[in-house]
Amino acid sequence: MPDALEDVRKWAGQPVTETPIKGGLSHRIARLDTSDGQTWLLRVLDPRVSAAGLGIPLEQEIANTLRAADAGVGPKVLHRMPGALLLEYLDGVTLDAHAVRTLPGPVAAACRRLHAGPRFVNDFSIFRKLDEFLALCRTHGLSAPDGYEDCLPAAAEIERALAADPLPTVPCHNDLLPQNFIRCGPEVRIVDYQLSGNNDPAFELGDIAAEADYDPDLTARLTRAYFGEDDPRLASRVRLNLIMSNLTWTLWFAVHHGLLKEQAADAGFDYDAEAADKFAQAVRDLNDPAFGRLIDDVRGVRPGSPPPPAPPRKEA
Ligand SMILES: Nc1ncnc2c1ncn2[C@@H]1O[C@H](COP(=O)(O)OP(=O)(O)O)[C@@H](O)[C@H]1O
Ligand SMILES: [Mg+2]
């Protein structure tokens, strides 16, 4: 297979220089500069990532990247190559957690725009992702943090509660850590569709809140900015998804570290510390006295819906 850079040079018909960007843990990402002054972004997908279950299949990622571009949120796709994409270079500032905490409005607006765009080609559930990761850990003898399995009944309880009155699914990114947001002027754009799929929008918001360490007040502000209404049940739904983000992505690190050893060794990244940090946050929220109220809230009804019959209480 020709190298993607060679492919781009041929396509462009001119010399192109590559400057690697060290960012995420997964793929080869580089800024390309052409001799006539254009700047592009090269994303060469590492097939080992999706093969290990850490990303969706490459063809789905490419199809969803095209759709996110159509929504006006993702970078434009300039050229497709086997397993690689040449993208519009977003000339802005990559966000960090602090910036995401100061920008709930523009972040919510970017999500609304993505979610209003064309549906993605696959569905995504954080609960099924958790099941997949657990199965991989068991099959390959990878270790989750101590006490991990004790949290699984609570995850099942969250899934049941969210399913009582589900929201329609929308095309979600599902991995909105701060570095996947790029601020371009007043607008926030979104890159990296490695885990994209149609999902509950409350997961998108909960995941953003988890990755940028939002407190409950800021989580409520993000929820309000996105839904345009002040409904505590929606904020509770987002907070339960925040817990699921921390709980599930804890295992992303265990699986990445265990199955992609070569990549992990090159990354110079403390996988165990990251997994322990996410797990500690999930445990903190599961043990919080507010947890039961969050569950009760989401079992309620959304404004405008007829009230459902009272659900049977588990303890009854
Ligand atoms: N289209 C783009 N324009 C400008 N910078 C980008 C673009 N795509 C990615 N980047 C930069 O590269 C970093 C890593 O890219 P990303 O696609 O998130 O890779 P990974 O899958 O490895 O996380 C991003 O955090 C951002 O700083
Ligand atoms: Mg990324």
Side-chain angles (χ1 to χ4, degrees):
M1 205 201 310
D3 178 67
L5 184 58
E6 276 314 307
D7 194 329
V8 172
R9 284 185 177 132
K10 271 205 203 110
W11 176 79
Q14 59 178 310
V16 176
T17 55
E18 173 174 1
T19 311
I21 296 179
K22 223 178 140 30
L25 293 170
S26 299
H27 303 290
R28 171 177 153 207
I29 311 292
R31 172 189 163 129
L32 302 186
D33 289 283
T34 65
S35 59
D36 71 358
Q38 299 181 71
T39 304
W40 299 322
L41 192 287
L42 177 66
R43 179 173 171 84
V44 183
L45 301 168
D46 187 333
R48 292 173 300 177
V49 173
S50 55
L54 295 162
I56 58 175
L58 299 192
E59 282 314 309
Q60 291 183 358
E61 176 177 335
I62 292 173
N64 291 348
T65 303
L66 285 158
R67 289 165 185 230
D70 286 346
V73 180
K76 289 194 190 79
V77 178
L78 306 173
H79 181 48
R80 278 181 69 167
M81 295 155 277
L85 287 170
L86 185 69
L87 300 170
E88 170 192 10
Y89 185 84
L90 300 173
D91 200 4
V93 179
T94 300
L95 300 190
D96 59 14
H98 175 262
V100 174
R101 286 195 293 273
T102 61
L103 293 171
V107 161
C111 291
R112 272 207 311 275
R113 208 162 157 203
L114 179 69
H115 297 174
R119 280 181 78 73
F120 286 152
V121 295
N122 59 298
D123 294 328
F124 180 97
S125 154
I126 196 64
F127 300 99
R128 301 295 73 78
K129 203 71 205 166
L130 177 55
D131 293 343
E132 266 176 49
F133 283 161
L134 272 177
L136 283 169
C137 287
R138 287 172 185 150
T139 308
H140 297 279
L142 309 175
S143 53
D146 280 350
Y148 193 88
E149 304 245 344
D150 300 341
C151 295
L152 297 179
E157 190 178 7
I158 293 174
E159 182 170 13
R160 279 194 302 275
L162 293 174
D165 187 22
L167 292 177
T169 65
V170 291
C172 285
H173 182 284
N174 299 314
D175 190 25
L176 284 176
L177 53 155
Q179 292 75 15
N180 288 333
F181 288 115
I182 299 184
R183 183 175 192 176
C184 302
E187 229 178 43
V188 169
R189 306 279 297 270
I190 299 176
V191 299
D192 187 357
Y193 292 83
Q194 179 179 320
L195 284 155
S196 53
N198 306 308
N199 192 10
D200 181 341
F203 176 74
E204 194 88 294
L205 304 182
D207 188 49
I208 294 167
E211 297 284 4
D213 289 329
Y214 275 31
D215 64 20
D217 283 349
L218 195 49
T219 306
R221 273 179 60 197
L222 178 72
T223 308
R224 210 161 42 236
Y226 177 89
F227 286 103
E229 59 178 305
D230 204 0
D231 181 345
R233 286 166 296 190
L234 290 170
S236 297
R237 188 173 191 92
V238 171
R239 283 176 63 187
L240 290 177
N241 276 290
L242 183 163
I243 299 174
M244 287 310 302
S245 165
N246 280 324
L247 204 53
T248 307
W249 299 143
T250 293
L251 294 186
W252 192 95
F253 293 100
V255 172
H256 194 282
H257 196 200
L259 296 189
L260 299 183
K261 288 205 168 61
E262 208 180 298
Q263 258 204 2
D266 290 345
F269 181 83
D270 192 340
Y271 286 78
D272 288 343
E274 193 65 31
D277 181 52
K278 284 198 179 297
F279 185 56
Q281 293 184 43
V283 169
R284 172 201 66 196
D285 292 341
L286 289 172
N287 290 333
D288 192 294
F291 178 66
R293 182 179 59 71
L294 300 181
I295 293 280
D296 286 345
D297 276 354
V298 301
R299 283 192 181 126
V301 285
R302 296 198 306 285
S305 320
R313 298 294 307 219
K314 225 163 80 296
E315 339 30 88

